[in-house]
Amino acid sequence: MGQSKPQIILLFLLTLSIISSTPSHADVTTFIYKGCANQKFQDPSGISSQNLQSLYSTLIAQSSITNYHNATAGNDQLTTSITGLYQCRGDLSNSDCNKCVKSTPEMIEKQCGRDTIAARVQLDGCYLRYEVIGFPVALATEFLYKQCGSGRVSGSGLETAIEEVEKGIGNGKGYYTGVYDSVDVLAQCEGGLGNADCEKCVKSASENARTACGSSISGRVYLQQCYVSYMDYPNGAPGSGGGGVIQTGETETGGGGSRHNTQKTVAIVIGGLAGLFLGIAFLLVLRSAFRK
């Protein structure tokens, strides 16, 4: 016997309710930039490759617990050993951090190859870097990458925002976000960086942003152990937090608390409506059953 119309409605709304209750997230795995060493592993035995896979497993496992972790795979006295770390954006949940970090090994393989002795990939929500023991590590303030918006803004709001983020990062948390006038700003340091070095790094990143992006409507500047991001909304910032939305001449990338909050609100509204209609459908089924 076929299902009655109320039962079909109930089944449809139940499915809609389940889908709507799943949180919506910005794509934290969006690729930003890469850094790849030219040299390849030199050991024919493949121990370096095994150690790299072991390092990946350790870092991925930790990413469901904390937004920063460093580790070494292998005997730390041997050049076949690999050391590395990941850092997730400060506003990410453990599940989003894990999602982001899990995608980095495949991204590194795609961008740098499977046997590169040192590599780094920066995604929207996290980065992961590794190197063989003995590989020269860059200074904390070494410039790596910039991304500047194509639009231009005028006024002192942007400069004020950048000055405030330089002050705000001194909170000792290594992560700072805020809104000043129409500018959404963010700064973050690598987890192992001390407070004084973090402030120094962010100040250097801010100076790079001033030089590299000037009056651009948006910008991101990445140094070895910190980065600064900002976005100017001429009509008023929609909210604080997150990575902001970085506009370029061709694409729009980035996560951000504002977009996260908007998506969360939409999910709640849709979920609430689905729940309301689910209750109505349930009453219709009961009425149909009593009539029989």
Side-chain angles (χ1 to χ4, degrees):
M1 182 181 295
Q3 291 180 310
S4 68
K5 187 175 180 180
Q7 288 173 322
I8 294 174
I9 294 174
L10 175 61
L11 181 61
F12 170 76
L13 289 174
L14 180 60
T15 303
L16 176 63
S17 177
I18 293 172
I19 294 173
S20 300
S21 63
T22 303
S24 177
H25 300 286
D27 189 1
V28 295
T29 63
T30 299
F31 175 75
I32 305 296
Y33 75 90
K34 66 177 180 180
C36 313
N38 293 325
Q39 304 95 318
K40 306 296 182 182
F41 293 139
Q42 298 299 313
D43 60 304
S45 64
I47 295 177
S48 294
S49 296
Q50 294 173 22
N51 286 336
L52 178 58
Q53 296 305 314
S54 177
L55 177 70
Y56 283 152
S57 297
T58 298
L59 296 180
I60 289 171
Q62 288 296 314
S63 67
S64 62
I65 303 171
T66 178
N67 74 349
Y68 167 80
H69 188 73
N70 64 76
T72 298
N75 185 326
D76 60 11
Q77 302 300 315
L78 300 176
T79 55
T80 53
S81 299
I82 312 292
T83 184
L85 59 85
Y86 70 84
Q87 172 87 61
C88 287
R89 203 174 65 219
D91 65 323
L92 293 193
S93 65
N94 287 342
S95 60
D96 276 350
C97 180
N98 179 249
K99 174 186 175 183
C100 190
V101 174
K102 280 174 67 175
S103 69
T104 55
E106 182 179 353
M107 189 67 71
I108 287 176
E109 182 176 335
K110 177 181 178 182
Q111 299 291 337
C112 302
R114 301 186 64 178
D115 56 353
T116 304
I117 66 172
R120 174 180 182 135
V121 292
Q122 175 75 54
L123 307 184
D124 187 75
C126 68
Y127 67 86
L128 184 147
R129 63 181 175 91
Y130 75 83
E131 60 270 345
V132 297
I133 294 293
F135 187 85
V137 179
L139 295 175
T141 56
E142 181 169 327
F143 175 81
L144 298 180
Y145 181 80
K146 68 178 174 68
Q147 186 182 59
C148 306
S150 58
R152 293 290 180 266
V153 292
S154 59
S156 60
L158 179 57
E159 178 58 30
T160 300
I162 292 178
E163 290 175 357
E164 289 298 327
V165 85
E166 290 176 348
K167 299 175 186 176
I169 197 66
N171 59 18
K173 298 178 181 179
Y175 174 78
Y176 180 81
T177 183
V179 176
Y180 299 91
D181 294 330
S182 61
V183 185
D184 199 344
V185 292
L186 178 150
Q188 184 166 18
C189 293
E190 197 167 275
L193 205 58
N195 193 41
D197 287 335
C198 176
E199 290 184 51
K200 179 181 177 181
C201 190
V202 167
K203 184 176 181 180
S204 181
S206 298
E207 291 171 353
N208 272 276
R210 292 183 180 96
T211 303
C213 296
S215 59
S216 293
I217 195 170
S218 62
R220 284 178 176 176
V221 170
Y222 295 90
L223 307 187
Q224 173 71 359
Q225 290 188 276
C226 70
Y227 74 94
V228 168
S229 169
Y230 67 85
M231 175 66 192
D232 192 322
Y233 297 88
N235 297 321
S240 63
V245 178
I246 303 301
Q247 296 180 340
T248 67
E250 299 177 354
T251 60
E252 183 174 277
T253 62
S258 305
R259 186 159 63 183
H260 289 171
N261 291 338
T262 300
Q263 291 175 325
K264 185 182 293 184
T265 301
V266 171
I268 292 172
V269 171
I270 294 175
L273 290 174
L276 175 62
F277 286 114
L278 182 61
I280 294 173
F282 181 69
L283 292 176
L284 289 173
V285 171
L286 286 178
R287 187 175 68 174
S288 176
F290 282 124
R291 284 181 177 176
K292 295 178 180 179

